[in-house]
Each structure stands twice: as C-alpha cells, then as structure tokens.
Amino acid sequence: MGDPRLLERARPVEQFDTPELRALLADLQDTMNALNGAGLAAPQIGVGLQVVIFGVEHNPRYPDAETVPQTVLINPALTALGDEIEEGWEGCLSVPGMRGVVPRYARLRYQGFDQYGNPIDRSVAGFHARVVQHECDHLIGVLYPMRMRDFSRFGYTDVLFPDSPPIDE
Ligand code: NI
C-alpha cells in the first residue's frame, strides 16, 4: 500500500497463451503460494494487466473457509446479481498485517477468459463472490480499505484474531 501502481487501472490482455503470460502467471502463483493468500492480482506484483488468480482449497488453518476453485481470470467483467450486500472480514497481501470489514455484493456473475483464451462465465455467492470482487478491485486501482464504511472494524490481524485470522486476498 502506498505504491502508485496499486492505484492505476490495469490494461486488458490482448494475446493469450504467450510465454510472457505464462511467466506472469507462474510469478503470481509462486507469490500467492509463498504468502498463503486466497488470491492475487497482477498490479500487486507491479504488472498493470487485467490478470487475477484466486482459489482456496480446504485448509486446516481455515477449517470454516468455503472452498473456491483455483482460477485464472483475465479481462474480467463483473455484474452484481441483485443488490444484497454482505459484510465480511478481508485482508490483502498489499496491506500486510491488517484486517477490515468490507461490504460486498452477496451474489455476483463474473465473466472473462482463462490463460488460453477460453471464456469463463460463473454466477457465485458468499466467499467466492467476495474474493472475486476483492481481486478485480485491484484492476481498477481500489484497495479494500477504500471500500470500508466502519473503521472501528479495522485493525492489526494479531490483535483482532490472535488464534486464526481470516485468509488474505
Ligand atoms: Ni488484495
């Protein structure tokens, strides 16, 4: 947080399945795995392209976390399904050591492409919908604190959740 590249709009990917895109995805995957995140967006590693990855397998550290399929999502378009809003805790690898409560659409349709250019079109809810909204916000220069409404529910992870923090996005 504080790096101006996190506040820029990312550019669409124009060519799929290239060596450059494969290298970017490997870098994103390595970074996400090393930091134990639920997702990561290209601008978070300094690349201004519309590429996000996310996914949550069953993890003994987060026994209550819903699973989310491992996904590469490129050039995404999001559509809220209804106007129900849910609040939930989020963290971000670009805002280390902190968690905050963020309002998000409860139900969401997202469309885009995988790394080979195959279309993706899913309608999701809950934690899956939250992760996608969080990651895609990185592509329009938005960090989760910019979505918060109640700063009494923002703080240091180890103070808020001494035992088992919510997963980082
Ligand atoms: Ni994030």
mmCIF file of all heavy atoms in Angstrom, residues 44 92 134 138 169, ligand 1:
data_model
loop_
_atom_site.group_PDB
_atom_site.id
_atom_site.type_symbol
_atom_site.label_atom_id
_atom_site.label_comp_id
_atom_site.label_asym_id
_atom_site.label_seq_id
_atom_site.Cartn_x
_atom_site.Cartn_y
_atom_site.Cartn_z
ATOM 1 N N GLN A 44 -0.450 -6.159 -8.088
ATOM 2 C CA GLN A 44 0.196 -6.342 -6.787
ATOM 3 C C GLN A 44 1.652 -6.768 -6.922
ATOM 4 O O GLN A 44 2.406 -6.680 -5.949
ATOM 5 C CB GLN A 44 -0.561 -7.383 -5.948
ATOM 6 C CG GLN A 44 -1.954 -6.911 -5.543
ATOM 7 C CD GLN A 44 -2.631 -7.949 -4.664
ATOM 8 O OE1 GLN A 44 -3.299 -8.831 -5.164
ATOM 9 N NE2 GLN A 44 -2.443 -7.850 -3.367
ATOM 10 N N CYS A 92 -5.371 -8.298 2.815
ATOM 11 C CA CYS A 92 -4.804 -8.139 1.476
ATOM 12 C C CYS A 92 -3.294 -8.236 1.584
ATOM 13 O O CYS A 92 -2.697 -7.639 2.488
ATOM 14 C CB CYS A 92 -5.208 -6.781 0.904
ATOM 15 S SG CYS A 92 -4.550 -6.473 -0.744
ATOM 16 N N HIS A 134 -12.824 -8.576 -4.510
ATOM 17 C CA HIS A 134 -11.581 -8.034 -3.947
ATOM 18 C C HIS A 134 -10.479 -8.012 -5.007
ATOM 19 O O HIS A 134 -9.810 -6.992 -5.205
ATOM 20 C CB HIS A 134 -11.165 -8.871 -2.722
ATOM 21 C CG HIS A 134 -9.872 -8.449 -2.118
ATOM 22 N ND1 HIS A 134 -9.784 -7.903 -0.855
ATOM 23 C CD2 HIS A 134 -8.603 -8.467 -2.604
ATOM 24 C CE1 HIS A 134 -8.515 -7.608 -0.603
ATOM 25 N NE2 HIS A 134 -7.779 -7.948 -1.638
ATOM 26 N N HIS A 138 -8.466 -4.714 -7.545
ATOM 27 C CA HIS A 138 -7.051 -4.382 -7.775
ATOM 28 C C HIS A 138 -6.816 -3.930 -9.220
ATOM 29 O O HIS A 138 -5.840 -3.240 -9.497
ATOM 30 C CB HIS A 138 -6.153 -5.585 -7.481
ATOM 31 C CG HIS A 138 -5.909 -5.827 -6.019
ATOM 32 N ND1 HIS A 138 -5.242 -4.919 -5.215
ATOM 33 C CD2 HIS A 138 -6.217 -6.863 -5.216
ATOM 34 C CE1 HIS A 138 -5.150 -5.407 -3.976
ATOM 35 N NE2 HIS A 138 -5.741 -6.582 -3.948
ATOM 36 N N GLU A 169 -6.257 -11.806 0.835
ATOM 37 C CA GLU A 169 -6.694 -11.867 -0.556
ATOM 38 C C GLU A 169 -5.779 -11.048 -1.436
ATOM 39 O O GLU A 169 -5.432 -9.986 -1.179
ATOM 40 C CB GLU A 169 -8.133 -11.377 -0.668
ATOM 41 C CG GLU A 169 -9.109 -12.417 -0.158
ATOM 42 C CD GLU A 169 -10.385 -11.806 0.358
ATOM 43 O OE1 GLU A 169 -10.959 -10.969 -0.307
ATOM 44 O OE2 GLU A 169 -10.795 -12.170 1.460
HETATM 45 NI NI NI B 1 -5.718 -7.740 -2.190
#
